[in-house]
Amino acid sequence: MNTTPTTERLWSVRDVSAFLGIPVGTLYQWRHRRIGPRASRVGRHLRYHPADVRAWLDQKAA
């Protein structure tokens, strides 16, 4: 049995921007207003878990 966790690479702001089809600036505005997908700081970089972005999008579509 393989117990190694499978993880997707974290997405950058540009990755999420391309996935959602919105400007990078909109993501920063959403983060400031706390209405966008959950993100984390990794050092000085903002990173998103792809599953969190998809879950946020699914919640908005519902």
Side-chain angles (χ1 to χ4, degrees):
M1 179 168 87
N2 186 1
T3 59
T4 304
T6 310
T7 58
E8 283 185 274
R9 110 181 146 76
L10 297 176
W11 286 355
S12 69
V13 174
R14 290 186 188 272
D15 294 330
V16 177
S17 170
F19 178 76
L20 296 176
I22 60 170
V24 167
T26 299
L27 284 170
Y28 285 114
Q29 288 175 14
W30 287 353
R31 179 165 168 82
H32 178 75
R33 295 171 57 198
R34 299 176 188 240
I35 60 173
R38 186 170 62 170
S40 300
R41 286 261 174 219
V42 178
R44 62 186 188 121
H45 303 283
L46 195 58
R47 293 293 182 254
Y48 295 81
H49 287 277
D52 290 343
V53 176
R54 291 182 187 110
W56 176 84
L57 186 59
D58 289 345
Q59 179 187 23
K60 290 294 178 186

